[in-house]
Amino acid sequence: MAPLLQSSQPWVEKYRPKQVKDVAHQDEVVRVLTNTLETTNCPHMLFYGPPGTGKTTTALAIAHQLFGPELYKSRVLELNASDDRGINVVRTKIKDFAAVAVGSSHRQGGYPCPPYKIIILDEADSMTEDAQNALRRTMETYSKVTRFFFICNYISRIIEPLASRCAKFRFKPLSEDIMSSRILHISKEEGLNLDVEALSALSSISQGDLRRAITYLQSAARLFGSSISSKDLISVSGVIPQEVVEKLLIACKSGNFDLANKEVNNIVAEGYPVSQMLSQILEVIVEADDISDEQKARICKKLAEADKCLIDGADEYLQLLDVASNMMRALCNMPQEFPYES
Amino acid sequence: MRKRNDLVVLSSDGEDDDCSVSSSNRSYSKPKSRSLIARSNPRGAKKARLSGSRSHLSKESSNADEIRFFCKDFDEVFNGFKVSAGFGGSNTKGLWVDKYKPHSLEELAVHKKKVEEVKVWFEERLRSSKAELSNVLVITGQTGVGKSATIHAIASHLGASVCEWNTPTPIIWQEHLHNSSTGINYTSKLDEFENFVERIRKYGLNLSSSTEESKSPTVLLIDDLPVMNGKVSFQRLQSCLHLLVQSTRIPTTILLTDYIKTDSADHSGRCLEELQLCLENAGACKVAFNPITNNSIKKTLSRICRQEQCNTTAEQIDLIAKVSGGDIRQAITSLQFFCLKPDSMHSLSLRDTTTTYSREKPDEVSSMDDGFPLQFGRDETLSLFHALGKFLHNKRDTENAMALDQDEFPLQQRLLRLPLKMDAPEKILCQAHGQARPIADFLHENVLDFMSEDAIGDAWAVASYLGDADMLLSTFRGMLARYNEAENVLQSAAASVAVRGVLFGNAHPLPSRWHAIRRPKLWQIEQSSLRNKNEMVKRRFNGYSRPSFSDFSVVTMEYTPVFKWLGQGITGGLETHQALTQCNETNDDFDKMSLDDKESESTDDEIEDW
Amino acid sequence: MALLVDKHRPRTLDNLSYHSDLSARLRALAQSGDFPHLLVYGPSGAGKKTRIVATLRELYGPGVEKIKIDSRVFQTTSNRKLEFNIVASVYHLEITPSDVGNYDRVVVQDLLKEVAQTQQVDLGAKQRFKVVVINEADHLTRDAQAALRRTMEKYSPNLRLILLANSTSNIIAPIRSRTLLVRVAAPSEDEICQVLKRVGEKEHFRDVEALNQKIAKDSGRNLRRALLMYEAVHAQNEVVTEKSLVPPPDWEALIAQIADEIIEEHTPARILQVRAKLYDLLTHCIPATTILKTLTWKLIPKIDDELKPDIIRWSAFYEHRIRLGTKVIFHLEAFVAKFMRVLESYLNGIELDFD
């Protein structure tokens, strides 16, 4: 395959920190890991935390710092969810790689090159339980020559025997200013013009996920050129403008069905994805001060039901209208159903 | 017939060759006799009536084979065959089915009216064979309702001889190999039948004409048409029969056995119906035999008991008659087995000379468990239609026998239902071999007819239960293919929900009255919708001069109506629907016919039981 | 004869009549030489396809309009043969995987692999990648979407995907994050009126402003439908006036009739009559969801405000079931029965004890 065009390389890759110490915001993790790197004695590791917080970056950086570019290919195996990771792969590919013996430890080109290999399993929580169990055996057998790095969002989805064999590192969501500084750094490098409003919009729609923020930034840069406003970012992210959500809520509060219906029609015609709408409604409802807990509960219940129906492929318009009419009844303290139906 | 003769010759030739050939002979002659037995022998008796040469030959051949090759197990039964074939009813052994074969019209258990109908038909044909009347009679009915017995009895009553064409024994693989190694071409059953029909058409029955020369009139009996697989052979058979109907000069009877159709999609069932239809179109008369009534069976059974001197109680006979499901052959066989004692049955198979056990120990019988005969009783099959009828009519006791229970487990008034006047719905389903999907479809199609006028609440309840059943049936569609059990559980759960939902939901059933049960129109709709869809999918490529194609739903919903407005003569508008359904109807004609038949059958006898 | 909607379909980005900022962005994208995977979503009749075709033209030049229809045969794992139609030019191809139902994964995988592994034939082509347009991407099964995601990663140098969907709700997150989301909103009624007017001028139709507005309103902000209606009105009337009748599509008229019948009488017998009509609609391949939705639309204005949320609730409920179930008629009818029951008890004002 021909090499990628420079311009089409995702910025997420382009600006991925190459050194553990450059990983943003995860101070404790970085401190411990830097120690490890110095002694080159590293245990099995499990990185967990929300998406876009630097887990994969850290794992890759460690591998690079340990082996350098030359040995990297032969010493490190990366597998993520898009690769086939059924039990058969665990039994063959992973095992084969793990079983290969490596030479003794001697420094090469300034890299420590410890006498083991590293297997990085990204998105490990999407592995089946069977596959994880099979891994456990492999880990024990080849622990002398192989280290495993697990990366996942939800630690609860990793089976206990695996988790207990690893040193666990929790990655926390990035704070807004850390995020902003990274974004600013990238936009300076790429020659983008970002105003303050756009910057804060970006950090709010990406919700502490740096990767998402960078992706949005790149998409916006592609579509709108070097000068990017908050509106552009919102349109690229697929997030629905807050006014639209507010308008629907106001229509519902009015207690007038036809008004709500009109609003729903509008939303669907504008092509806003309803699943996105539901999650934004949820946000607004949960945080609203003027809505009682009971009302919130009623609305949230309906939102959950509708979300499930959408996943099953139900019609967007009917589901949103159902949510809206339900919300209307809840907000206006009408009974949930017409009284004759108990 | 010819074929069979050939076979015999062939086998004697083969023995001269070498061992390997003779062993192959052995292997095919065995299954041949097996198949004779499997047909539970009334046919063995028929052979006695066949005109001379053929019966002689076949007997000889079987005698020759029998001694050397037969398994012990089959000895007894085969002797039965031989006895009935050779020496008539003089021996006390043998299957009662053959022994007590009806010889006169009076002995027939078939309904008098039907017998009369057939008799009149034959009389007319035999009197004036030159008339414009069609010479073919089709008799339909399930197994063991006395179709062939009636023909034989009537023929002997009228003094005519019966010439019979049976489906030849299937050729087994070794036989085929042997045949091809000795250079004999394989002829399929269908080929044979075609040859036979051709001969009949051209020369009449030369067998009888050579020996008996118009002394007695002859009737031709065609039992069990050749099995056909696939469309081509089916069409051949169809055209062959058509020819036969139009040209034969001998009164000919074709027997068609209805298998119980649990599934309307059953291929062979459909074929038979289509054949029947085609025969009728060609001008053949049709007489449908119903299952024999309980009373007739009981009468026959008691007669046999008297003659065999076995002490069976009236209840036992009643039971046997009931479980036979109108199959008199089954009933008599059950009776014979019922009168056997297990250990003597054993000895029966060892020693040929054992006399019928029932004569030795007549008192044993009454001591047997009453439930015992159920074991060999025929499955108590209900037709799907009867089962549906039960569910739809929703018969319940008139007064509440559960008054006492109510105090213990108080139920809301609206949830109360009177006790059902039927077996558990699941049991009925099982008896009717009901599949969840067709059951649900049938119920859906018909249930609204059985609701009282203003019971809209009931209608909704039923509709929602049927919806539930549909959801169950479509859960994990195909995903559970590996987990058969789970699939089965789902199926039966869905059937239960559908049936019980209909029973429960229809809280105000109409008083019983006759309703026709319709075949679900849904199936037809699905087909035609699929056809239309394929049409339109195709059309979206060649119809529009556009550089790309649009979503299917857009085509159906937006383009098609406009084309209609613009009068572009593209089908798919709603008015064309009439024409469309009509063409569907012609396509599905035989389906519909079969349905009508089923209906009319059930109207004949069982309505009042519903 | 080409319909107006096809005859006057804009071919280039410059000719597009509304969402001009979107058109400008698409042009910038096509010229940048850094064309990403696109996920274009928006309601039916908003102009998604038109925009994509115009963008392709911007990418490759007019050669992209020379298309042919290919028929391919795919083999499933169970050895079933699938026939599948492809619209293709030298530079791009267009598929509708939902045509083959549950086998879409096979098609997506095999076809995209094949495309990705063959280099651009035309050496003079402006772009070194081929574009695959996937229609009805929101109808793809999860399996097919997962396969799509892998293909996107693996073959991105030779291949760009453009997914068309009515909504992103049914598209898995990994695909959403790997594509550039482009929302195409339905045109406003005014915008539709302008388009109608322009088309009318080219065809020398009599321009009746009020009629155009009526059509725009009836079309439900669906430009394609508006144009089709516009053509139908002008074809049927010698001289159009404000009062010219805009005929609804036949199926819609039938559904309106069903709605009237349902309101009028609430009995099992009536359900049977309705069933016949529903069958009629299904025979003509009107999607069950559309039937239910349209029926709801027609019913809502006829009932009291108090009842409306309930009806919506049941409509949504049964529509969901239509998706999950196999026999749509069961659920359509259940909705009809439910509606009758709710209305009946509402009208009677009786406090019934039923559920």
Side-chain angles (χ1 to χ4, degrees), chain B residues 412 414 437 440-441 443-449 451-461 463-464 466-471 473-475 477 508 518 520-523 525-526 528-530 532-533 536-538 540-554 556-566 568 572-577 580-581 584, chain C residues 1-3 5-6 9 11 44 49 53 65 67 69 85-87 92 94-96 98-99 102 135-136 166 222 224-225 228-229 231-233 235-236 247-251 254 266-269 271-272 275-276 279-287 290 314 318 320-331 333-341 344 353-355:
Chain B
Q412 288 180 44
R414 67 187 172 89
R437 180 49 84 188
D441 291 354
L443 288 176
H444 167 257
E445 176 71 32
N446 292 293
V447 71
L448 288 175
D449 288 333
M451 299 194 143
S452 72
E453 296 255 313
D454 46 1
I456 191 65
D458 291 357
W460 171 69
S464 83
L466 288 174
D468 290 344
D470 177 52
M471 301 286 285
L473 283 172
S474 36
T475 327
R477 215 174 323 166
H508 312 91
R518 290 186 306 266
K521 201 173 172 220
L522 178 58
W523 299 344
I525 298 292
E526 278 172 350
S528 47
S529 138
L530 200 69
N532 282 349
K533 182 173 174 184
M536 287 194 226
V537 166
K538 256 183 254 153
R540 89 171 159 202
F541 290 105
N542 50 33
Y544 312 124
S545 51
R546 299 194 303 131
S548 61
F549 57 146
S550 37
D551 293 3
F552 174 67
S553 53
V554 171
T556 59
M557 285 162 32
E558 296 177 17
Y559 281 98
T560 320
V562 171
F563 278 124
K564 216 193 69 200
W565 288 330
L566 301 179
Q568 275 206 340
L574 289 179
E575 305 118 339
T576 52
H577 177 60
L580 265 170
T581 39
N584 292 336
Chain C
M1 182 198 96
L3 293 170
V5 67
D6 296 323
R9 186 185 294 276
R11 293 286 163 84
S44 184
K49 182 58 92 34
V53 173
E65 284 173 8
I67 56 155
I69 292 157
N85 287 312
I86 297 166
V87 173
H92 86 293
E94 188 181 332
I95 54 176
T96 309
S98 51
D99 277 358
N102 284 327
N135 286 312
E136 298 178 47
N166 282 339
N222 179 336
R224 175 179 45 236
R225 187 186 276 186
L228 289 169
M229 283 158 94
E231 182 168 8
V233 169
Q236 282 185 340
D250 45 6
W251 56 270
L254 193 64
H266 320 124
T267 62
I271 298 182
L272 271 179
R275 178 191 292 175
Y279 275 151
D280 203 354
L281 291 166
L282 290 176
T283 316
H284 287 87
C285 307
I286 308 296
T290 312
W314 290 110
Y318 285 110
H320 181 215
R321 290 195 137 201
I322 283 174
R323 288 284 162 180
L324 296 183
T326 36
K327 306 271 171 170
V328 293
I329 187 72
F330 282 31
H331 308 294
E333 227 173 273
F335 172 71
V336 170
K338 183 73 197 177
F339 178 85
M340 287 180 174
R341 205 186 104 59
E344 174 94 349
D353 236 351
F354 285 90
D355 56 353

Side-chain angles (χ1 to χ4, degrees), chain C residues 21-250:
Chain C
D21 48 339
L22 176 63
S23 309
R25 274 178 269 148
L26 285 172
R27 184 181 307 113
L29 217 51
Q31 288 166 350
S32 71
D34 176 21
F35 196 75
H37 301 298
L38 289 187
L39 171 53
V40 182
Y41 65 100
S44 184
K48 300 184 291 294
K49 182 58 92 34
T50 310
R51 277 168 179 72
I52 290 314
V53 173
T55 310
L56 286 174
R57 198 187 145 108
E58 186 74 37
L59 272 174
Y60 295 105
V64 85
E65 284 173 8
K66 279 188 209 125
I67 56 155
K68 59 183 195 305
I69 292 157
D70 260 358
S71 189
R72 303 272 182 102
V73 175
F74 290 92
Q75 201 153 30
T76 65
T77 42
S78 53
N79 278 335
R80 235 193 74 175
K81 288 246 161 63
L82 292 175
E83 217 190 286
F84 185 70
N85 287 312
I86 297 166
V87 173
S89 76
V90 194
Y91 308 107
H92 86 293
L93 49 109
E94 188 181 332
I95 54 176
T96 309
S98 51
D99 277 358
V100 287
N102 284 327
Y103 297 104
D104 52 359
R105 189 184 58 85
V106 186
V107 171
V108 165
Q109 237 170 10
D110 292 5
L111 193 70
L112 294 193
K113 207 161 152 189
E114 185 193 312
V115 174
Q117 284 168 351
T118 51
Q119 293 278 336
Q120 187 68 266
V121 192
D122 182 0
L123 292 174
K126 284 195 194 164
Q127 316 291 340
R128 48 191 300 281
F129 53 83
K130 268 193 163 190
V131 173
V132 175
V133 179
I134 298 181
N135 286 312
E136 298 178 47
D138 44 352
H139 292 190
L140 287 173
T141 58
R142 294 286 137 122
D143 264 4
Q145 292 192 34
L148 209 55
R149 162 193 175 168
R150 276 194 281 279
T151 329
M152 281 162 111
E153 285 173 346
K154 227 166 157 178
Y155 301 115
S156 66
N158 289 338
L159 183 70
R160 290 292 183 278
L161 294 178
I162 298 181
L163 308 181
L164 289 171
N166 282 339
S167 160
T168 59
S169 294
N170 272 328
I171 297 194
I172 59 173
I175 288 191
R176 268 186 279 171
S177 81
R178 282 170 177 76
T179 51
L180 187 59
L181 302 179
V182 178
R183 181 172 61 87
V184 181
S188 68
E189 285 174 19
D190 286 344
E191 283 164 338
I192 290 181
C193 281
Q194 280 164 25
V195 173
L196 292 183
K197 194 169 168 179
R198 230 172 49 183
V199 169
E201 275 165 18
K202 282 189 204 154
E203 291 287 321
H204 310 293
F205 283 156
R206 200 175 148 222
D207 184 41
V208 184
E209 183 67 29
L211 181 69
N212 288 355
Q213 273 166 9
K214 203 164 102 192
I215 291 176
K217 193 157 175 295
D218 283 359
S219 70
R221 293 178 67 181
N222 179 336
L223 182 59
R224 175 179 45 236
R225 187 186 276 186
L227 277 167
L228 289 169
M229 283 158 94
Y230 183 72
E231 182 168 8
V233 169
H234 283 273
Q236 282 185 340
N237 300 293
E238 290 280 314
V239 179
V240 293
T241 63
E242 272 173 53
K243 293 190 189 77
S244 291
L245 220 60
V246 183
D250 45 6

Side-chain angles (χ1 to χ4, degrees), chain A residues 111-124:
Chain A
Y111 293 99
C113 299
Y116 49 75
K117 300 172 304 284
I118 291 176
I119 296 179
I120 299 173
L121 290 165
D122 209 342
E123 295 164 65

Side-chain angles (χ1 to χ4, degrees), chain A residues 42-312:
Chain A
C42 117
H44 297 304
M45 285 193 260
L46 172 61
F47 301 146
Y48 66 100
T53 49
K55 300 181 296 295
T56 311
T57 307
T58 310
L60 292 176
I62 293 176
H64 274 288
Q65 278 181 277
L66 283 178
F67 298 112
E70 274 164 48
L71 272 179
Y72 184 84
K73 273 244 156 68
S74 61
R75 291 291 185 88
V76 181
L77 178 68
E78 268 183 83
L79 291 172
N80 64 26
S82 24
D83 298 300
D84 192 9
R85 278 192 316 195
I87 185 157
N88 284 328
V89 174
V90 172
R91 286 211 180 114
T92 55
K93 201 169 169 187
I94 295 182
K95 204 168 146 189
D96 288 350
F97 184 82
V100 177
V102 285
S104 59
S105 151
H106 51 81
R107 291 195 154 254
Q108 224 176 29
Y111 293 99
C113 299
Y116 49 75
K117 300 172 304 284
I118 291 176
I119 296 179
I120 299 173
L121 290 165
D122 209 342
E123 295 164 65
D125 40 3
S126 66
M127 289 173 80
T128 62
E129 207 159 294
D130 281 351
Q132 292 190 35
N133 270 314
L135 256 187
R136 172 184 164 190
R137 191 72 46 223
T138 317
M139 273 173 83
E140 273 166 10
T141 320
Y142 302 107
S143 60
K144 278 227 171 85
V145 286
T146 311
R147 296 290 182 274
F148 282 88
F149 290 1
F150 295 100
I151 300 170
C152 65
N153 295 134
Y154 305 99
I155 194 173
S156 55
R157 296 221 192 119
I158 302 291
I159 61 168
E160 187 52 35
L162 277 193
S164 73
R165 284 173 171 75
C166 301
K168 300 186 208 54
F169 296 93
R170 196 177 82 85
F171 285 67
K172 47 191 190 209
L174 301 186
S175 71
E176 214 158 289
D177 36 315
I178 300 273
M179 188 110 100
S180 303
S181 72
R182 280 280 158 169
I183 298 285
L184 276 179
H185 167 73
I186 293 173
S187 34
K188 207 164 76 201
E189 292 282 313
E190 294 289 335
L192 298 178
N193 218 338
L194 222 61
D195 57 29
V196 185
E197 197 192 347
L199 202 59
S200 76
L202 189 55
S203 18
S204 83
I205 55 176
S206 52
Q207 293 170 329
D209 181 342
L210 187 57
R211 178 178 38 202
R212 230 199 301 180
I214 298 175
T215 315
Y216 290 157
L217 190 66
Q218 188 177 17
S219 301
R222 271 174 170 167
L223 274 181
F224 303 99
S226 59
S227 170
I228 296 167
S229 70
S230 65
K231 215 179 114 213
D232 301 337
L233 284 168
I234 284 173
S235 86
V236 151
S237 65
V239 172
I240 299 167
Q242 207 58 28
E243 314 88 82
V244 179
V245 185
E246 292 294 339
K247 250 170 128 179
L248 180 65
L249 276 182
I250 290 167
C252 288
K253 276 181 188 158
S254 76
N256 182 337
F257 178 86
D258 293 327
L259 218 60
N261 190 6
K262 207 178 128 223
E263 225 26 77
V264 168
N265 261 320
N266 224 354
I267 290 169
V268 173
E270 286 297 320
Y272 293 119
V274 170
S275 54
Q276 176 68 32
M277 189 73 199
L278 294 185
S279 56
Q280 285 187 253
I281 291 176
L282 179 72
E283 247 169 69
V284 174
I285 292 289
V286 169
E287 277 163 25
D289 300 324
D290 55 342
I291 301 177
S292 77
D293 284 354
E294 195 206 331
Q295 288 170 327
K296 283 183 183 176
R298 269 166 71 170
I299 296 169
C300 290
K301 185 165 164 260
K302 193 72 218 176
L303 284 171
E305 283 172 18
D307 192 49
K308 154 79 174 123
C309 290
L310 284 179
I311 286 174
D312 289 336

